[in-house]
């Protein structure tokens, strides 16, 4: 998410874009070579910094980051454990701040058995609550995750249009190719 946001900001003309991550670069959920591509586009990376305090300072947003250190051992998903360095901070000022961090969605309101297998739910008296993307499918650590999230959002958009009475044909999803079945060498 953070990488997509940063690259989009550069493409729409933002002059200075930072991606600040609490771990080191090798623990980021990015594809091989993506960090280098971002740097060529002008995106600046800062690692081992965790947000400590955010405050408004005039027209700027002042963020104090606590410096982190990493341990040799790893925790869940193979990422290195990190610890705050007591009394060590870095301060940045920004015009805008976009929170683009991965979080697990709180879907307790769905009252399901924990499995989100469809995009439409009736929740607390509201019908047609749409759950899409990672919230529905969970985090996927492969190159097909964006395609699945877009497909999920497209399906939700079609369902929303149908709920307003539009006559949208239901696509035959069985004819869709999964990313792993595509020979990407044809596109190089």
């Amino acid at each position: 998410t953070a990488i997509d946001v940063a690259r989009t900001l550069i493409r729409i003309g933002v002059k200075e874009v930072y991606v600040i991550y609490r771990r080191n670069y090798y623990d980021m959920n990015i594809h091989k070579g993506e960090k280098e591509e971002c740097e060529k586009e002008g995106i600046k990376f800062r690692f081992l910094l965790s947000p400590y305090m955010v405050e408004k300072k005039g027209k700027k947003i002042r963020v104090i980051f606590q410096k982190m250190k990493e341990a040799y051992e790893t925790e869940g998903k193979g990422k290195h454990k990190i610890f705050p360095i007591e009394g060590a901070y870095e301060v940045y000022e920004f015009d805008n701040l976009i929170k683009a961090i991965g979080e697990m969605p709180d879907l307790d309101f769905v009252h399901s058995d924990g499995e989100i297998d469809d995009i439409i739910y009736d929740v607390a008296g509201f019908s047609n609550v749409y759950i899409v993307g990672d919230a529905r499918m969970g985090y996927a650590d492969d190159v097909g995750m964006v395609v699945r999230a877009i497909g999920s959002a497209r399906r939700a958009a079609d369902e929303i249009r149908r709920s307003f009475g539009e006559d949208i044909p239901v696509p035959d999803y069985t004819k869709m190719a999964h990313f792993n079945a595509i020979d990407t060498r044809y596109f190089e």
Side-chain angles (χ1 to χ4, degrees):
T1 302
I3 297 297
D4 297 330
V5 169
R7 293 180 96 175
T8 300
L9 291 169
I10 288 290
R11 290 179 182 133
I12 63 171
V14 175
K15 301 280 186 257
E16 196 171 28
V17 176
Y18 287 87
V19 171
I20 301 176
Y21 187 51
R22 70 186 178 283
R23 298 180 187 276
N24 221 321
Y25 73 92
Y26 42 76
D27 283 332
M28 290 183 81
N29 293 325
I30 59 175
H31 302 296
K32 185 178 179 180
E34 196 168 23
K35 178 181 173 284
E36 291 78 16
E37 290 173 14
C38 290
E39 289 172 332
K40 286 178 190 171
E41 292 176 17
I43 297 167
K44 297 176 176 91
F45 286 88
R46 300 293 182 266
F47 297 102
L48 293 169
L49 295 173
S50 183
Y52 177 77
M53 184 185 302
V54 178
E55 57 191 10
K56 189 116 171 111
K57 185 177 178 189
K59 292 187 177 189
K60 298 278 190 178
I61 300 166
R62 182 174 185 250
V63 184
I64 301 171
F65 291 94
Q66 178 140 32
K67 291 184 180 182
M68 307 298 284
K69 63 181 175 181
E70 63 184 6
Y72 292 107
E73 67 268 13
T74 59
E75 54 190 8
K77 294 186 181 179
K79 294 184 178 189
H80 290 84
K81 290 182 181 180
I82 56 171
F83 304 95
I85 300 172
E86 193 67 34
Y89 302 95
E90 283 188 25
V91 179
Y92 289 82
E93 287 188 3
F94 303 106
D95 294 325
N96 295 289
L97 180 66
I98 299 173
K99 177 183 163 188
I101 60 174
E103 295 180 7
M104 294 300 296
D106 179 2
L107 299 176
D108 289 343
F109 66 90
V110 175
H111 302 297
S112 72
D113 58 2
E115 292 294 316
I116 306 296
D117 57 357
D118 202 357
I119 60 170
I120 307 172
Y121 287 86
D122 292 328
V123 177
F126 296 97
S127 61
N128 296 339
V129 173
Y130 298 88
I131 302 172
V132 300
D134 286 355
R136 185 176 76 82
M137 300 175 296
Y139 172 75
D141 195 17
D142 64 23
V143 285
M145 68 183 179
V146 173
V147 172
R148 288 194 303 273
I150 292 169
S152 172
R154 174 58 191 251
R155 188 169 155 227
D158 286 350
E159 292 295 334
I160 291 166
R161 290 172 64 192
R162 278 190 204 92
S163 75
F164 284 108
E166 278 191 59
D167 185 22
I168 308 280
V170 177
D172 183 2
Y173 290 108
T174 61
K175 293 182 181 178
M176 295 176 73
H178 190 273
F179 181 81
N180 294 336
I182 299 172
D183 187 350
T184 57
R185 291 177 296 177
Y186 292 115
F187 302 100
E188 294 176 353

